[in-house]
Amino acid sequence: MASEVSSTRPPSTSGHAPSMADSLPSVDFGFDELRDRMARFTVKFDDFIERGRKRVLEERNQFRMNVAELHEDQRMKKKDIEILKLQSATQAHALEKEQQEEAEMSAAIAAIKLQQDSRAAHRDRLRAQVEETQTMIGQRLEAQRRHAQQLEAQARFNRPELEFWQDYLCLRIEGAGVEDRLKFVYTHVDERAWEREAWFELGMGKRDYELLHCHPKLEPDAMRRVLEQLNDSRDLAVFLKRMRELFIATLKAAS
């Protein structure tokens, strides 16, 4: 700010003589210009303040909007996290269920395989048993065939002797309906009725002969002695003769 100082002052209009103050130079401080400049500064400052306030308001509003957007983003992300957690739990449950089903299927497959192995082993055992049975049947059939051939040969050899004993002892030999057992039937053992029959069954399935049934009943001790003699001597002809004698003696005692 410049000031202008005048070196001369106008002369006083009073009629008094000039004082010392009148003789001092006048000074121009330029207050008007200063006020003008201050006014312009004030306008600029007020404009600066207004613009600053608007900028602050805009920035605050923008900050609030940013904060609201952040909150909204946070809320959406939180919601997304909850959805992901739910999906993860659902997938975990589905995975656990699949694992359980897989374990059950594996157990079922193992049980089926074990059952198949057991059935295969049982089938192999049955097949082996069938083969063994077929072999045994074949062996028995062969043994029966050989035995039949032997019996046929023995029958041809024994037929004359058998006919002799049938005629001499009035004896006939029949099957008893049981394997390894024969029935011996006598006639002409009762003087009062020559056609009356007396018979006994002889078991031949063991090493020792067995006297199983007889009719009429014979004395047990006599039967035991005759049977012991047969097992000791193995002489069937003598045994048949002694049995005939026992039947005749028993029928005579009963008459």
Side-chain angles (χ1 to χ4, degrees):
M1 176 175 47
S3 63
E4 295 180 358
V5 180
S6 176
S7 59
T8 62
R9 294 184 63 187
S12 175
T13 59
S14 64
H16 299 287
S19 64
M20 292 184 65
D22 294 334
S23 64
L24 291 176
S26 62
V27 179
D28 187 6
F29 290 98
F31 288 108
D32 294 334
E33 183 181 358
L34 180 60
R35 282 194 298 271
D36 183 61
R37 292 178 64 184
M38 287 297 295
R40 291 197 301 270
F41 175 78
T42 302
V43 170
K44 292 181 178 179
F45 182 77
D46 292 340
D47 182 65
F48 172 78
I49 294 298
E50 182 65 22
R51 285 186 285 107
R53 186 178 65 80
K54 289 181 178 180
R55 186 171 63 250
V56 169
L57 289 176
E58 290 175 355
E59 291 177 354
R60 184 175 62 182
N61 293 332
Q62 185 65 36
F63 176 76
R64 288 178 178 176
M65 291 176 61
N66 293 336
V67 170
E69 290 178 357
L70 289 175
H71 287 169
E72 181 66 17
D73 291 342
Q74 184 177 7
R75 187 183 66 81
M76 294 300 295
K77 290 180 179 179
K78 184 177 181 181
K79 185 176 181 181
D80 292 339
I81 291 173
E82 291 177 355
I83 293 174
L84 290 175
K85 286 182 179 180
L86 180 60
Q87 291 177 351
S88 178
T90 304
Q91 291 178 356
H93 180 70
L95 180 61
E96 181 181 1
K97 186 176 181 181
E98 289 179 358
Q99 291 177 349
Q100 182 179 1
E101 291 177 353
E102 182 179 358
E104 292 176 354
M105 290 179 64
S106 298
I109 291 173
I112 292 173
K113 188 176 183 303
L114 180 62
Q115 187 177 8
Q116 288 178 346
D117 294 340
S118 177
R119 289 181 177 178
H122 182 63
R123 180 193 60 198
D124 294 338
R125 288 196 300 270
L126 289 177
R127 185 177 296 171
Q129 291 177 359
V130 168
E131 293 177 355
E132 182 180 358
T133 303
Q134 289 177 347
T135 302
M136 186 181 299
I137 291 174
Q139 293 175 352
R140 288 186 178 182
L141 289 175
E142 181 63 21
Q144 290 178 358
R145 186 183 62 80
R146 291 196 301 268
H147 183 64
Q149 292 176 351
Q150 293 175 358
L151 289 179
E152 184 178 358
Q154 186 68 29
R156 288 195 302 267
F157 177 77
N158 292 334
R159 187 172 292 110
E161 183 178 0
L162 182 59
E163 292 176 353
F164 169 76
W165 286 109
Q166 288 179 349
D167 294 338
Y168 179 72
L169 295 177
C170 297
L171 171 67
R172 73 176 186 272
I173 302 174
E174 301 176 351
V178 181
E179 186 178 0
D180 297 328
R181 187 184 299 184
L182 292 176
K183 183 177 182 180
F184 297 87
V185 182
Y186 295 98
T187 59
H188 296 78
V189 291
D190 189 352
E191 295 179 350
R192 296 173 300 173
W194 293 113
E195 299 301 325
R196 182 177 181 180
E197 294 181 349
W199 56 269
F200 69 90
E201 292 181 0
L202 187 66
M204 301 178 178
K206 299 180 181 179
R207 181 183 180 280
D208 292 339
Y209 292 104
E210 292 180 313
L211 195 56
L212 300 173
H213 304 287
C214 67
H215 180 77
K217 296 292 185 181
L218 300 177
E219 184 182 356
D221 292 337
M223 290 175 59
R224 185 177 65 255
R225 287 194 300 270
V226 172
L227 186 61
E228 289 176 354
Q229 291 172 359
L230 171 63
N231 288 325
D232 291 339
S233 64
R234 317 299 291 183
D235 190 344
L236 187 60
V238 175
F239 171 74
L240 294 175
K241 183 177 179 181
R242 288 174 178 171
M243 287 297 296
R244 179 179 178 81
E245 291 174 353
L246 286 177
F247 280 125
I248 292 174
T250 298
L251 291 173
K252 283 183 177 181
S255 60

